[in-house]
Amino acid sequence: MAVEFPTHAEPAAAHSRGPLLQTRASAFQTAQRRFDAAADVIGLSDDARRGLREVKRELTVHFPVRRDDGSVHVYTGWRVQHNISRGPAKGGIRYHPDIDLDLVKALAMLMTWKCAAVGIPYGGSKGAVAVDPHKLSQNELEHLTRRYATEIAILIGPEKDIPAPDMGTNPQIMAWIMDTISMHQGHSVTASVTGKPVDVGGSEGRVEAPGRGATYLTLEALKYLHIDEETQTVAVQGYGQVGRSTTRLLSEAGLRIVAVSDSRGGIYNPNGLDLAALDEHRQVRGGVSGFKKADAVTNEELLELPVTVLVPAAVQDVITDHNAARIRARLITEGANAAVAPEADPILHERGIFLVPDIIANAGGVIVSYFEWVQDLQAFFWEEEEINTKLHHVITRAFYEILHTSVNKRIDMRAAAYALAVQRVANATTVRGIYP
Ligand code: NAD
């Protein structure tokens, strides 16, 4: 059974559904609806629901940055903590022009469930600045980052809330944030941020971790579906940090990568793409489009190609009720957060398409961030092989726990992941009680 979502836009009162409206729900309302569905599955009490369907803290900051031409621009940023019952808050920082508080709240809530689903001792948070980082110089980017870090510093710290990279941010930006927090404290606080360069307390294997986790789970799902991984085909939407490492690792595992794309469009060759030649092409052309040994496809067409595995690893809401019936993959590994819209879940489920949901598909990032934080706190660092082995253990265990719940409760994989995660957070919240 897939968990269905009514198309209502009102935030429902705890446990009850709001009026039916035709307008599309906001990102946070969608996140609340996913939570409500999970709460229904596990029979969560109304009291427990009330706290968990809201965020704990939301900080909005407006701050000035002097541009290289001497002008001053005021930027808006956020840091939201959804829940800290199971440990410090954990969540990335996104630099993107199209972001607002509503989406940051939704992403913070998703982080709570993601950490709980894979069993690491964190709550959930998210940060963002409404900015297009590609339009800033390195100098402007550093100033913006240091000022934003200062503005949210009251919430950040190894025991409180630990940021990491997300869309539009990278290890260099994490190094600037760590340095800024450290300057305020008067000593190095490496464990205040993860996803840093290895030179300043970063972890081996962190950059590739989301793609590596997605790869491990794709291979486990194929095994579960009794599909021999050799000779199977893959299409990957979004050839960025997550998409590229997933592509490379799946190719190394013997699968044939037939299509990839970026924001400018995609390429398709049913006989397989030459990834080494493609990387050379990207270095010259700055994107995958125009690659000679493949045909051009749009991002929409890529999703509907006849492949075994589809990995949407770019942006949210690319598989919706409009195209779900045309997806031909047997397995979807949801690399990007919320790539599949709620309305599409039941359609895919009914069509027998197996989904590895975002909440675990890209959790390799936060799992290795957890390892980074542990290594920083101990000032004792592990080899990459050890990290990859531990990542495999944690993410595969989570996959089978979720699969077990999915089969036992006869619900789809996303609903099962949410049910497990919400139960864990609810247990922690209940056993701690209400202060004072
Ligand atoms: P990225 O910026 O490195 O790459 C994104 C890719 O998608 C780029 O190739 C870009 O050209 C392409 N793209 C952008 N808009 C597109 C569109 N409309 N259609 C098709 N392609 C488009 O980002 P990333 O870090 O790889 O993140 C991708 C997704 O994975 C996001 O949802 C992010 O939240 C999630 N994620 C990332 C990490 C991480 O550590 N990087 C961890 C967990 C989840």
Side-chain angles (χ1 to χ4, degrees), residues 18 57 89 92 114 232 278 288 293 311 329 354 379-380 424:
R57 295 192 179 106
K114 190 178 290 187
Q232 302 306 330
L278 177 61
V288 300
K293 299 169 187 168
V311 185
F354 190 86
F380 180 68
R424 285 178 181 154

Side-chain angles (χ1 to χ4, degrees), residues 373-392:
W373 177 75
V374 170
Q375 292 171 85
D376 285 336
L377 292 175
Q378 297 179 344
F380 180 68
F381 291 85
W382 314 333
E383 305 278 329
E384 181 169 354
E385 199 184 335
E386 186 176 354
I387 285 157
N388 292 343
T389 304
K390 285 183 159 72
L391 167 62
H392 184 266

Side-chain angles (χ1 to χ4, degrees), residues 1-5 319 321 324-327 329-330 332 340 342-355 406 410-414:
M1 180 193 90
V3 176
E4 303 252 6
F5 292 93
I319 300 176
D321 47 354
R326 294 194 300 272
I327 304 292
R330 294 178 67 186
I332 298 175
V340 179
E343 296 77 18
D345 273 345
I347 303 172
L348 298 175
H349 187 70
E350 274 153 30
R351 295 187 56 227
I353 298 172
F354 190 86
L355 175 76
S406 161
R410 295 171 169 227
I411 52 180
D412 64 40
M413 284 289 282
R414 192 194 306 281

